[in-house]
Amino acid sequence: MATKTTKPTPDVPLLTEAQLVTMSEQDYMNEAQLAFFRARLKQLEIDLLKNAGETTEHLRETVLVPDPADRATIEEEHALELRTRDRERKLLKKVQQSIASIDAGEYGWCEETGEPIGIPRLLARPTATLSLEAQQRRELKQKLYGD
């Protein structure tokens, strides 16, 4: 079984997804893999912050339209955009927590079981904190007992 790793160094060359997937289990969360996920999370963070700035600018551009239907359409678009940005704000927090877990040497390990989350799952969801099995158990429990 692989063990938790130390903080990655910045001089490690970035891997491709194909290289990442073909690595052995003994290489799990080595410096190169951590550098790959750090770069992916940092880019996601930059994109989310850029989107937030664009939303702020877009919402400041108030257009006065006399037609009530047009005004309602604009207000609905703004509401949808705000809901989307709220979701992105929550995702940004998870991204920042994931970057912090890389710094702490805890990234890629299930919070509940301590087992590896797995490269395929982290590629699909870089902010995952639970293994697939632990996530399924949690969702089943929420479905049965509620939040």
Side-chain angles (χ1 to χ4, degrees), residues 2-23:
T3 58
K4 292 187 180 179
T5 56
T6 58
K7 198 172 172 180
T9 56
D11 58 339
V12 176
L14 287 182
L15 299 170
T16 64
E17 278 191 33
Q19 290 171 320
L20 198 62
V21 171
T22 59
M23 294 178 88

Side-chain angles (χ1 to χ4, degrees), residues 8-130:
T9 56
D11 58 339
V12 176
L14 287 182
L15 299 170
T16 64
E17 278 191 33
Q19 290 171 320
L20 198 62
V21 171
T22 59
M23 294 178 88
S24 70
E25 288 183 23
Q26 288 78 20
D27 292 327
Y28 188 71
M29 288 301 116
N30 63 19
E31 286 185 28
Q33 289 180 347
L34 289 171
F36 173 87
F37 285 110
R38 174 186 286 285
R40 178 162 282 190
L41 288 162
K42 280 290 192 184
Q43 185 59 51
L44 186 56
E45 180 182 37
I46 290 166
D47 293 344
L48 290 170
L49 290 171
K50 181 178 157 218
N51 285 348
E54 289 173 0
T55 297
T56 303
E57 288 301 315
H58 184 253
L59 292 176
R60 283 187 186 151
E61 298 170 1
T62 54
V63 178
L64 299 175
V65 289
D67 183 30
D70 289 342
R71 197 169 38 245
T73 300
I74 291 171
E75 288 176 11
E76 184 60 32
E77 287 172 355
H78 283 179
L80 179 61
E81 193 166 351
L82 286 172
R83 281 195 304 270
T84 301
R85 295 304 163 245
D86 187 50
R87 288 181 59 138
E88 287 183 351
R89 181 185 54 80
K90 292 173 185 173
L91 178 58
L92 179 62
K93 184 177 178 183
K94 288 181 178 183
V95 167
Q96 292 168 338
Q97 289 172 341
S98 295
I99 292 169
S101 73
I102 289 175
D103 293 339
E106 299 171 354
Y107 183 77
W109 303 93
C110 180
E111 289 181 347
E112 282 186 9
T113 64
E115 295 176 357
I117 292 173
I119 297 297
R121 178 156 167 75
L122 289 171
L123 285 172
R125 188 173 193 88
T127 58
T129 58
L130 298 172

